[in-house]
Amino acid sequence: MFLVDGTVGGLVTAEIHNWTGHLLKGKRERLNEIQGRPEAGRTGVYILFGDDAAASGKRSAYIGQSDNVGARLKNHDSKKEFWDEVVIITSKDMNLTSAHVRYLESALINLAKKVGRVSLENVASPTGGAPLPEADASDMEYFLSQLKIVLPVLGYDLLRGRAAALPPSEVVTDTTDKTTSPTFHLRGSKKHVDATAQLVDGEFTLLEGSRIALNMDAAVNTWAETTKVQHATRQELRSKLFADGALRSEGAVAVATRDIVFSSPSAASATALGKASSNGRIEWKTQDGQTFSAWEQSVG
């Protein structure tokens, strides 16, 4: 990564050694400066980011491609209101063609939809254009795999999740790799809880289809203030998850309609059990009874 003007809030470029890809990140208010950069005049893909007006705390994105990204951004500046920053994806050797970026645009949109971390502003689903030759398609899949690494480093998680997992041929099988994990289970007969989770790309993730407590336990006046705050935090999170469709009620339980990322195993178990607090490091267990804490120590 390189801070173009030496400030945290300024333009940032990002590359990976021995990879031809190049990313430029900048705020909308720096658009004139962005358009003056050589990257902006190349063939490439761009992603606009902004706040999601329909869901508090969530981000929206628009993914596009152009033979002249800078000119396209000027058009979006006058017609699209939601965005406040942009990432331009080009190639250092300028070998990306129109066919390549159409392929990447389509792949990025489809992947972002599957992951579900942002709300996409794209109305139509791109076709990807004419099929690429086999060798070119392979090159673009590698290009995409590098973007899955660089974008989170720049602060964008739109591709981060199970749907963005590497193909089997590229998965690291080293058992000391803490970015992958076995499936952990959490069950509670009282509230019909039957949930599963994994550590995915370093994030503790409640998996789609998990059945969790429909409601939170009622708050108790004798609780310590910290417990009351935790209870309010869990309740607020659950309300947001129901509001954006990540959770839906089915009879006596709530069901996860997509993978949901939590800040920790304990946050996930407390939310799943409907409690103010929970020690997720011992609550989550593999099928053979190993706790998350024991597994983490075994690979650590």
Side-chain angles (χ1 to χ4, degrees):
M1 293 177 60
F2 174 67
L3 307 181
V4 174
D5 53 8
T7 63
V8 176
L11 301 186
V12 177
T13 65
E15 302 174 1
I16 296 179
H17 186 59
N18 288 333
W19 176 49
T20 61
H22 177 89
L23 281 75
L24 172 67
K25 167 188 175 179
K27 298 288 187 180
R28 184 172 184 170
E29 57 262 31
R30 307 287 291 272
L31 185 57
N32 286 339
E33 188 176 347
I34 292 170
Q35 289 178 306
R37 300 275 304 181
E39 303 95 318
R42 298 175 186 166
T43 297
V45 179
Y46 59 89
I47 310 175
L48 308 178
F49 292 95
D51 291 331
D52 185 350
S56 176
K58 193 172 183 180
R59 297 286 276 173
S60 287
Y62 178 89
I63 300 170
Q65 55 80 25
S66 175
D67 287 331
N68 187 321
V69 175
R72 184 63 58 84
L73 291 180
K74 184 177 181 180
N75 179 269
H76 288 322
D77 187 43
S78 63
K79 294 184 178 180
K80 293 187 183 298
E81 295 293 333
F82 84 96
W83 64 287
D84 52 40
E85 54 187 355
V86 61
V87 173
I88 297 175
I89 303 164
T90 56
S91 173
K92 288 179 287 188
D93 59 13
M94 293 181 284
N95 278 344
L96 286 180
T97 67
S98 297
H100 291 145
V101 296
R102 284 195 295 270
Y103 183 98
L104 287 174
E105 176 196 37
S106 179
L108 287 169
I109 289 174
N110 290 331
L111 191 52
K113 285 181 177 178
K114 290 178 182 178
V115 172
R117 297 287 286 264
V118 299
S119 299
L120 281 182
E121 298 285 328
N122 296 76
V123 177
S125 297
T127 62
L132 288 176
E134 185 177 8
D136 286 54
S138 177
D139 287 344
M140 290 305 98
E141 287 300 319
Y142 177 73
F143 198 99
L144 188 62
S145 74
Q146 301 304 99
L147 289 179
K148 293 173 189 175
I149 297 171
V150 180
L151 285 170
V153 174
L154 289 175
Y156 304 111
D157 290 333
L158 77 164
L159 303 183
R160 198 174 178 187
R162 280 198 302 167
L166 293 173
S169 61
E170 297 180 38
V171 170
V172 177
T173 57
D174 182 359
T175 57
T176 64
D177 180 10
K178 292 172 63 176
T179 64
T180 60
S181 81
T183 299
F184 296 95
H185 300 264
L186 178 68
R187 297 183 175 93
S189 58
K190 184 178 178 181
K191 294 184 178 180
H192 311 289
V193 173
D194 188 3
T196 55
Q198 274 187 299
L199 193 67
V200 180
D201 197 17
E203 297 180 305
F204 197 84
T205 306
L206 182 76
L207 303 185
E208 179 182 352
S210 291
R211 299 167 70 82
I212 72 172
L214 181 61
N215 299 301
M216 289 281 296
D217 290 339
V220 178
N221 289 332
T222 56
W223 281 351
E225 284 302 313
T226 53
T227 305
K228 291 179 181 179
V229 170
Q230 283 180 319
H231 184 274
T233 300
R234 307 296 184 218
Q235 187 68 272
E236 181 182 8
L237 174 59
R238 287 171 62 92
S239 296
K240 288 181 178 179
L241 293 173
F242 274 110
D244 72 9
L247 292 176
R248 70 165 182 265
S249 59
E250 286 189 7
V253 298
V255 177
T257 63
R258 59 172 173 80
D259 291 353
I260 302 172
V261 173
F262 285 87
S263 58
S264 67
S266 294
S269 60
T271 302
L273 294 169
K275 296 181 177 181
S277 62
S278 166
N279 187 347
R281 300 179 65 78
I282 61 174
E283 295 272 17
W284 291 102
K285 299 177 181 179
T286 61
Q287 198 66 44
D288 60 5
Q290 185 183 39
T291 65
F292 178 84
S293 178
W295 170 79
E296 191 174 43
Q297 289 176 15
S298 72
V299 300

